[in-house]
Amino acid sequence: MPAEMSALAALRLVLLDEAERVQERREEWLLRLKVFEQNPSLLLKLFSGGAEAERRLVAAVAGRLPEGPSGTAHAELVTAVALTAFRVAVLRWSTVDIPLAGLVDEVFSQVAEGLPDPNPPA
């Protein structure tokens, strides 16, 4: 990623790429989501694996930022926001038949815009 790209923009690209990989195996991923939904005890295992992936992403993001506590804190925050946005997109995707990358792009656009409230229906 270009150094001048923000951490959030870089994570957006990484997660858009991941969305394409997930989309290619849609049926498998939908089955996985259903299994976790039906077996909440498995969520601990899912979260522990996710925590390790999150730590790796935080380290990669922190490597792009100035050293020190503020860079580390920003890396942790932006990574958590990006992964939450991705999770929201995946959960929405599991209920609709539209490409995951489009949903990921949509949620990242909302985050980048400061999460404005939606306009009320006309």
Side-chain angles (χ1 to χ4, degrees), residues 91-105:
L91 291 175
R92 285 185 55 210
W93 171 75
S94 73
T95 65
V96 295
D97 190 19
I98 57 179
L100 179 55
L103 292 171
V104 170
D105 202 44

Side-chain angles (χ1 to χ4, degrees), residues 47-94:
F47 289 140
S48 66
E52 179 57 33
E54 184 171 348
R55 280 191 291 276
R56 288 192 311 268
L57 275 175
V58 167
V61 170
R64 298 172 49 89
L65 300 173
E67 289 186 34
S70 64
T72 301
H74 183 74
E76 292 167 345
L77 179 60
V78 75
T79 301
V81 168
L83 291 176
T84 298
F86 186 78
R87 181 177 53 83
V88 167
V90 168
L91 291 175
R92 285 185 55 210
W93 171 75
S94 73

Side-chain angles (χ1 to χ4, degrees), residues 19-33 89-90 92-100 103:
E20 294 293 338
R21 284 194 292 276
V22 170
Q23 183 71 47
E24 290 171 2
R25 298 185 345 246
R26 179 177 171 85
E27 294 307 315
E28 178 185 335
W29 275 97
L30 292 177
L31 181 58
R32 282 182 183 183
L33 291 170
V90 168
R92 285 185 55 210
W93 171 75
S94 73
T95 65
V96 295
D97 190 19
I98 57 179
L100 179 55
L103 292 171

